[in-house]
Amino acid sequence: MSWTTIRFARLRVRPGSSLKVMSPTEQSVIEACAQVLLPPGGAIPQSGIDAGVVRYFDDMMAGAPATTRLLLRALIQLVEYSPLVYGPFKARMSKLGPENRARVLRALMTSRLYLLRTAFLGLRTVLTIAYFGSDEVNRSIGATPDLNPFHLEEAAV
Amino acid sequence: MSGFHRFPWVDDPHAGVKRFSDYAGPVRDRCDVVVVGSGPGGAVVAKLLAEAGKSVVLVEEGQPYGVKHFKPDAGWAMLRMLREAGMRSTRGNIFMPTMQAICLGGGSVVNSAISVRPPSWVFDSWAEKHGTHLLADGALDPHFAEVQRFLGVTPTPEAVLGERNLAFKRGCDALGYTSEPCPRNAPGCKGSGECFTGCRNGGKTSTDVSCIPAAIRAGARVYTSMRVDRVLRQGRRAVGVTGKVVDPDKRQDTHDFEIRARFVVLAAGCMASPVILQRSGIGNENGLAGKHLRAHPGVAVLAVFPYRVDPWRGASQGYQSLHFLREGIKMEVLWSPPPIIATRFPGFGLEFKDQLATFDRSAPFDVIADGSDSEGTVSGRPFGHDPDIRFTLGEGDVKKLHRGLCILSDIAFAAGAEAVLPGLHGAEPVLRSKNDVDRLRNYRMKAQDPVIAGNHVFGTTRMGDDPKTSVVDVDGRCHETDNLYVADSGIIPASPAVNPMLTVMALANRIGGIIRARA
């Protein structure tokens, strides 16, 4: 089996998985990042995992145009292999413990390399969009939709 | 029906629009004028010509979305109504996200409905540099007035401003800066703050509920889920357009289509129209289509107040300051879904979540620079249909953005903010006093430091009197092709200083009138 075949095989959905396009490797990277970026506790009790960010991310990947999906996949791979390429650890992101994952993400966030900072921001933004896909998270910050917050008369249109 | 606007509201504004499910096979049609794109430019042209009795076909790649579809969910809106799922970005010295809509009504469905006339000096400047003298001396005023009347453009009413907008006004007042409610084409606005994801109140007069129903009533045929790839030509004349019917769910091409017409109007947007011209071998004889991409790069601060602001209450962008417009700086109040605003927050983990929890006390303010020192290009990619966008943010615009960030921080503190988040790499993540703002003033900001967005894009098919430096003439007509027009933001030759939608519509109204006289 060639290297290319192996790579493509790893981008397939796990048989029996409820996810649409995310491979097991991608799922583990997103879970690993979400656990550190959006942990349980704090001012918003719900964690990213509990809010369903992995499924939401998968839905976004599935619904995106092919080139955008490729971009999201490249982002995941960049984050996964960044410790190996840029340090400070000699292991992939998904294989690190939570504290070391936090160190890797902090290194990306504060990197002197614009590409890495942008990758961090891109990942955090997509996960935050997914996080706010949860009604409970929106309720936690008081952002419940209100179509008529000023109690106006019937709309003019 | 309200007296605010002139168009008759109908219960099903998309009635008569042809959708993907209506196409059983290849589609062919013939008309006087085919208009490509249903956003602010194309919809105005289609309405005007259809009402003049011309046979008009309007072609749109996206689908119709309406009140029954909209959801206040950023991801939902990005996936369905924005090109490249809202993740389109330039490359160059910065990655600048730039959002273009793909739906019936184009950008008017997802923008904040700001409809501002540029000051007269903008048109004087265009005339001097690009030879567009026919647009100076108030020549566009009747077109602005017509569009404003039809769409019901009025200053945002005080009743729907909310504390987020009012805080900005207070800050400007305290510092002696002029400010005003944004004029918007949202006569039914209730201040629900959902412009970005589509107004579930139906308060905006986006073109899909205003111009397009009017065009259909006048006999126009409107086809959605059709992507135009090329302008058809015969010698040096355009004879129609051709492309593919696109399955909106599978995002796959299914059938061919061909629309034959005596006049072709490209209004597919600043990023798509030049690529169509590049592929067509017509209308781009000097190879300038796609060059001279300009944008209004924008950055934002988040002001955190000691009391509840409830930023989700109030018109999305209800207040603005034109105080520094001559210096290339426009300031506005901003709102979009929380996760988009949250890009300004520092950190991650519990620190980030705690910051998210301050949203109810926060108000984002943004500044856009006129982009006069920045330029880029748009070209087709060898694969796919999305454009390759290169953009270089110039040093002069970086300085304007930096200055704007400092002024916005001043406004925030003058309005009573206890903290300001400038969202700048390398600078203090949270400003807590005017001294911190002074330190920010001394910070040497680089192009890659802030989170920049470039949502007003223009210039890729710019107008002018010289075929060696422009793609279309002042009437929007391609220099070398008598019956091929462009009527989107691409024809704007230089910054309009303010949000460009109303200018695009006024220019389109003028172009439509010219075609009406010829068709």
Side-chain angles (χ1 to χ4, degrees), chain B residues 350-412:
Chain B
L350 293 181
E351 175 196 10
F352 181 60
K353 287 178 73 182
D354 288 348
Q355 200 75 62
L356 292 176
T358 66
F359 249 124
D360 61 345
R361 296 188 284 120
S362 302
F365 304 150
D366 78 272
V367 55
I368 56 173
D370 64 6
S372 58
D373 299 301
S374 310
E375 196 164 83
T377 60
V378 176
S379 55
R381 287 177 179 154
F383 54 89
H385 297 278
D386 293 314
D388 180 24
I389 309 164
R390 299 178 189 217
F391 189 79
T392 302
L393 183 67
E395 190 58 34
D397 286 319
V398 175
K399 285 181 178 159
K400 286 172 209 162
L401 291 174
H402 179 230
R403 178 162 151 69
L405 277 180
C406 295
I407 297 170
L408 287 177
S409 302
D410 286 337
I411 291 171

Side-chain angles (χ1 to χ4, degrees), chain B residues 185-429:
Chain B
N185 58 308
C189 180
K190 288 184 173 180
S192 60
E194 295 186 8
C195 287
F196 179 89
T197 49
C199 183
R200 289 188 296 155
N201 281 321
K204 269 194 285 190
T205 50
S206 48
T207 59
D208 65 315
V209 300
S210 55
C211 300
I212 291 169
I216 292 173
R217 279 195 301 278
R221 277 108 63 204
V222 178
Y223 296 95
T224 58
S225 296
M226 283 189 175
R227 185 193 65 245
V228 169
D229 292 332
R230 282 183 180 78
V231 176
L232 295 166
R233 68 178 177 136
Q234 206 163 56
R236 289 176 63 177
R237 287 188 68 77
V239 293
V241 295
T242 183
K244 298 285 184 187
V245 173
V246 184
D247 181 332
D249 296 323
K250 296 178 182 167
R251 296 180 190 270
Q252 288 173 350
D253 298 353
T254 56
H255 314 299
D256 294 326
F257 77 86
E258 185 178 294
I259 314 289
R260 292 267 165 176
R262 293 196 295 125
F263 288 84
V264 175
V265 181
L266 295 182
C270 174
M271 299 297 185
S273 290
V275 176
I276 294 172
L277 286 178
Q278 288 164 7
R279 288 194 189 116
S280 303
I282 188 170
N284 185 31
E285 283 72 11
N286 287 320
L288 288 176
K291 312 283 188 203
H292 306 298
L293 168 68
R294 295 296 181 110
H296 285 160
V299 293
V301 302
L302 196 77
V304 184
F305 290 84
Y307 55 86
R308 279 190 73 126
V309 173
D310 286 337
W312 30 80
R313 288 162 49 100
S316 297
Q317 295 195 273
Y319 234 83
Q320 64 182 10
S321 171
L322 309 181
H323 194 90
F324 298 95
L325 207 60
R326 286 306 286 255
E327 297 174 42
I329 292 172
K330 179 181 185 259
M331 295 179 295
E332 305 161 333
V333 178
L334 176 67
W335 184 244
S336 66
I340 307 295
I341 302 286
T343 51
R344 272 87 194 170
F345 288 150
F348 60 85
L350 293 181
E351 175 196 10
F352 181 60
K353 287 178 73 182
D354 288 348
Q355 200 75 62
L356 292 176
T358 66
F359 249 124
D360 61 345
R361 296 188 284 120
S362 302
F365 304 150
D366 78 272
V367 55
I368 56 173
D370 64 6
S372 58
D373 299 301
S374 310
E375 196 164 83
T377 60
V378 176
S379 55
R381 287 177 179 154
F383 54 89
H385 297 278
D386 293 314
D388 180 24
I389 309 164
R390 299 178 189 217
F391 189 79
T392 302
L393 183 67
E395 190 58 34
D397 286 319
V398 175
K399 285 181 178 159
K400 286 172 209 162
L401 291 174
H402 179 230
R403 178 162 151 69
L405 277 180
C406 295
I407 297 170
L408 287 177
S409 302
D410 286 337
I411 291 171
F413 282 119
E418 62 179 13
V420 174
L421 280 63
L424 266 183
H425 170 73
E428 281 296 318

Side-chain angles (χ1 to χ4, degrees), chain A residues 35-48 56 59-72 101-107 109-121 124-134 137-138 140-157, chain B residues 1-2 4-5 7 9 72-76 78-79 83-85 87 92-96 159-163 186-194 200-205 251 308 310 312-315 338-340 342-354 356-360 381 383-384 386 425 447-451:
Chain A
Q35 283 162 2
V36 178
L37 288 170
L38 300 162
I44 307 173
Q46 204 175 23
S47 72
Y56 196 107
D59 285 344
M60 283 200 83
M61 280 176 70
T67 46
T68 307
R69 191 181 310 145
L70 198 65
L71 194 71
L72 287 168
R101 269 181 263 153
R103 281 186 64 187
V104 171
L105 287 171
R106 192 163 296 282
M109 183 177 73
T110 57
S111 173
R112 292 179 61 193
L113 296 176
Y114 179 54
L115 174 70
L116 296 187
R117 293 204 308 273
T118 306
F120 170 82
L121 193 61
R124 198 190 69 175
T125 300
V126 179
L127 284 174
T128 310
I129 289 170
Y131 191 48
F132 276 88
S134 155
V137 170
N138 282 285
S140 298
I141 65 164
T144 46
D146 186 347
L147 289 180
N148 196 357
F150 301 103
H151 309 291
L152 300 184
E153 296 297 310
E154 274 303 296
V157 175
Chain B
M1 189 177 140
S2 151
F4 280 122
H5 56 285
F7 77 91
W9 179 257
D73 175 347
W76 180 91
M78 289 164 69
L79 269 180
R83 290 192 179 271
E84 300 183 49
M87 293 176 220
N93 67 338
I94 55 165
F95 297 112
M96 183 172 72
V160 298
L161 285 175
E163 175 58 17
C189 180
K190 288 184 173 180
S192 60
E194 295 186 8
R200 289 188 296 155
N201 281 321
K204 269 194 285 190
T205 50
R251 296 180 190 270
R308 279 190 73 126
D310 286 337
W312 30 80
R313 288 162 49 100
I340 307 295
T343 51
R344 272 87 194 170
F345 288 150
F348 60 85
L350 293 181
E351 175 196 10
F352 181 60
K353 287 178 73 182
D354 288 348
L356 292 176
T358 66
F359 249 124
D360 61 345
R381 287 177 179 154
F383 54 89
D386 293 314
H425 170 73
Q448 295 84 5
D449 290 344
V451 179

